[in-house]
Amino acid sequence: MQNILNYINGEFLEPQSQEWLDNYEPSSGKVYSKIPNSDERDIALAVKAAENAFPNWSKTTIEERSSILQRISESILENLEILVIAEAKDNGKPESLARAVDIPRAASNFKFFSQAITQFSTNAHESVGLNAVNYTLRKPLGVVGCISPWNLPLYLFTWKIAPALVSGNCVVAKPSEVTPMTAYLLSNICHNAGLPKGVLNIVHGLGTTTGQAIIEHPNVKAISFTGGTATGEHIARTAAPMFKKLSLELGGKNPNLIFADCDYDRMLETTVRSSFANQGQICLCGSRIFVEASIYDKFKTDFVNKVSQLNVGHPSSKDTNVGALVSKPHLEKVFSYIEKAETYGGKILTGGNKVTVKGYEDGYYLEPTVIEVSSNDCKLNQEEIFGPVVTLMPFKTEEEALQLANGVRYGLAATIWTNNLNRTMRLSSEIEAGIVWVNTWMMRDLRTPFGGMKDSGVGREGGFEALRFFTCLLYTSPSPRDLS
């Protein structure tokens, strides 16, 4: 039984409480490692280490910080297979997905920000006639907190800590207690890459204790969090009165608008993926599918046929399309919506059952499920299920499609399928979502900002927006005498 350890001040430490949490393998339902049940004492130790490291780290050259992040990126790729197997075992996702997306993206996050910092500049404004220059400086904040979710464990963990580190901050980070393994492995990678002690501290534990200790610590200057909306609300209530900077990427209930003039075959193939990738446990999945009435029946038949052919299986199997859900409580939560589908006015078209995989009978497997609904106001369309469950509903006009798309509390992402350029421009500007894909899904350029509106959060991550978040803007205006 492996014990995961905290990484504080360049050392691997047991929790001061000497208490441990069980870490379950979703594909088997068995405990396979132990996680530190860290508390405020561990966080205090980590914050102190970060504070001590900050003066030197913040004054290192951009070239030095860039070089270290580049080495981390290269080391992630050198250890790709180890990280792939660990991610699939810890999260339940197919190894093929971790190999194609999660681990390469984690390496790309470090590589991208190692380069982006070299192009991140300040501004100067000459006051003509006054012989003076006004200029701004971007300075690191100090100690920042990064709290990441369980659905894309290393992918999203690195998306936060890479820009925080490269901009000169020291980090106290908490991965999800549900999927801690690759963050633990990253501790070793960063340690071996020459990251100075105290610059990155990774502390494991529960959100209610370890996470709470991070957000309420007075010397943590900013919080970057990805997770559920309710948790985001709690973080805001705690941190906002302390005047911490906040970046909160929260829930989604994303619409997928399919018009009759789309490239049908391409749309169908992508919609299957955008519905059930990572077992539907991606905040960007298109969980509400709205189809123009004239092609609704054809789409319903074709879509259900393709979904019913998806193979649910063990993450290590090359034939697996849908792996295990991340935990037993999450499986039961998702399944509860399916059990009540008819009560909510839905009709199950395919799926809807738990799955028993031979040799892994206690694993958390669920059929990809398609439910037809008649109202956008039902719970199936209004609440974030965050699993392999999507709903179908027809629309007649563009105006109706827009109303359906915007008719939820969330506003994270949306997808539009149409070959009408004018419609594309109209809808893209009127849909209430932080990101809108047209005739594609999950096409992400790391230079572009990312985030939601309404109950999907505040702030933006990615590109220069992440570097702006993890820095403060200082303004200075020297007098003509200072410039002589």
Side-chain angles (χ1 to χ4, degrees):
M1 183 71 66
Q2 181 179 9
N3 279 359
I4 289 172
L5 299 174
N6 291 328
Y7 181 64
I8 300 174
N9 201 31
E11 298 180 358
F12 293 91
L13 304 175
E14 295 183 348
Q16 295 192 41
S17 66
Q18 289 299 306
E19 296 178 358
W20 302 85
L21 305 168
D22 290 336
N23 186 26
Y24 287 84
E25 181 181 6
S27 60
S28 67
K30 308 297 183 184
V31 175
Y32 83 101
S33 64
K34 296 286 186 177
I35 311 166
N37 188 12
S38 305
D39 57 29
E40 68 278 358
R41 292 172 294 175
D42 302 283
I43 295 301
L45 191 64
V47 172
K48 186 64 177 176
E51 288 180 310
N52 291 339
F54 178 69
N56 286 334
W57 179 247
S58 62
K59 292 181 175 63
T60 57
T61 64
I62 287 175
E63 291 76 11
E64 183 176 349
R65 280 182 253 142
S66 175
S67 178
I68 291 175
L69 261 69
Q70 182 65 37
R71 289 201 298 271
I72 294 171
S73 174
E74 292 169 356
S75 185
I76 289 174
L77 292 179
E78 290 167 1
N79 291 276
L80 186 139
E81 278 306 306
I82 293 173
L83 292 167
V84 163
I85 293 170
E87 197 76 298
K89 186 172 185 176
D90 213 31
N91 175 269
K93 68 179 64 198
E95 287 183 7
S96 59
L97 181 63
R99 185 175 294 108
V101 177
D102 292 67
I103 308 308
R105 172 59 188 273
S108 295
N109 287 337
F110 278 104
K111 181 179 180 179
F112 171 82
F113 284 109
S114 75
Q115 298 171 343
I117 194 64
T118 67
Q119 306 301 313
F120 190 53
S121 59
T122 56
N123 299 312
H125 309 279
E126 180 184 5
S127 296
V128 179
L130 297 178
N131 191 30
V133 175
N134 297 276
Y135 64 90
T136 59
L137 294 174
R138 283 280 175 182
K139 307 291 283 185
L141 300 174
V143 181
V144 299
C146 297
I147 304 173
S148 61
W150 49 254
N151 61 324
L152 303 168
L154 192 63
Y155 178 145
L156 293 180
F157 190 67
T158 56
W159 202 22
K160 295 180 181 299
I161 65 174
L165 292 172
V166 82
S167 53
N169 298 283
C170 292
V171 175
V172 177
K174 190 195 93 68
S176 170
E177 66 273 18
V178 181
T179 53
M181 185 58 74
T182 48
Y184 173 56
L185 297 177
L186 183 68
S187 303
N188 285 280
I189 289 173
C190 292
H191 186 80
N192 294 332
L195 196 66
K197 67 178 185 179
V199 171
L200 173 63
N201 304 273
I202 301 176
V203 187
H204 300 269
L206 299 171
T208 52
T209 51
T210 314
Q212 182 67 23
I214 293 175
I215 66 174
E216 67 185 16
H217 196 292
N219 296 342
V220 174
K221 306 301 183 184
I223 302 293
S224 176
F225 169 80
T226 298
T229 297
T231 304
E233 291 173 357
H234 172 76
I235 291 173
R237 284 194 297 269
T238 303
M242 302 175 75
F243 304 105
K244 298 177 186 287
K245 291 185 76 172
L246 289 176
S247 177
L248 305 174
E249 197 271 280
L250 308 177
K253 194 67 178 176
N254 309 308
N256 184 358
L257 306 183
I258 300 171
F259 290 87
D261 65 348
C262 69
D263 181 335
Y264 186 86
D265 291 338
R266 182 181 177 190
M267 173 277 299
L268 184 62
E269 179 181 354
T270 304
T271 297
V272 173
R273 185 167 63 90
S274 67
S275 299
F276 301 109
N278 203 47
Q279 296 70 251
Q281 298 170 148
I282 301 178
C283 57
L284 301 170
C285 279
S287 56
R288 294 182 299 138
I289 303 174
F290 301 110
V291 186
E292 191 167 358
S294 61
I295 62 168
Y296 181 76
D297 288 338
K298 173 177 171 54
F299 172 83
K300 181 168 67 172
T301 299
D302 293 342
F303 183 67
V304 167
N305 181 55
K306 280 191 172 292
V307 172
S308 65
Q309 294 177 35
L310 293 175
N311 184 54
V312 179
H314 191 269
S316 65
S317 172
K318 294 180 180 179
D319 297 327
T320 293
N321 304 118
V322 178
L325 273 68
V326 74
S327 69
K328 187 173 183 179
H330 187 62
L331 169 66
E332 296 304 332
K333 175 221 168 183
V334 174
F335 190 63
S336 70
Y337 283 93
I338 297 172
E339 287 184 306
K340 298 176 183 176
E342 292 187 4
T343 303
Y344 297 148
K347 177 184 178 183
I348 297 175
L349 302 179
T350 188
N353 301 300
K354 294 179 182 178
V355 177
T356 300
V357 174
K358 186 176 180 180
Y360 303 96
E361 287 77 9
D362 294 326
Y364 315 135
Y365 300 97
L366 183 64
E367 289 178 334
T369 302
V370 180
I371 304 175
E372 187 174 40
V373 298
S374 57
S375 171
N376 194 40
D377 295 329
C378 69
K379 285 190 175 184
L380 295 170
N381 269 34
Q382 291 295 314
E383 298 182 4
E384 186 180 36
I385 300 174
F386 211 63
V389 179
V390 297
T391 62
L392 301 185
M393 187 176 171
F395 66 84
K396 294 181 179 179
T397 66
E398 180 182 315
E399 292 73 22
E400 182 186 5
L402 179 63
Q403 184 180 29
L404 291 169
N406 290 340
V408 293
R409 59 188 286 220
Y410 300 102
L412 186 56
T415 305
I416 304 169
W417 289 96
T418 180
N419 284 320
N420 184 318
L421 180 59
N422 290 333
R423 176 185 291 141
T424 293
M425 300 304 292
R426 284 193 303 269
L427 287 176
S428 294
S429 65
E430 294 180 17
I431 286 179
E432 296 168 348
I435 184 168
V436 178
W437 284 294
V438 178
N439 297 331
T440 188
W441 179 71
M442 279 293 276
M443 188 69 69
R444 290 282 297 125
D445 188 311
L446 290 178
R447 294 170 295 182
T448 57
F450 172 85
M453 56 180 64
K454 301 196 288 188
D455 284 12
S456 288
V458 295
R460 291 294 181 267
E461 296 185 339
F464 285 166
E465 290 300 317
L467 297 178
R468 292 187 184 102
F469 174 75
F470 286 114
T471 55
C472 57
L473 184 63
L474 304 179
Y475 166 77
T476 182
S477 179
S479 69
R481 182 182 304 168
D482 295 330
L483 298 174
S484 62

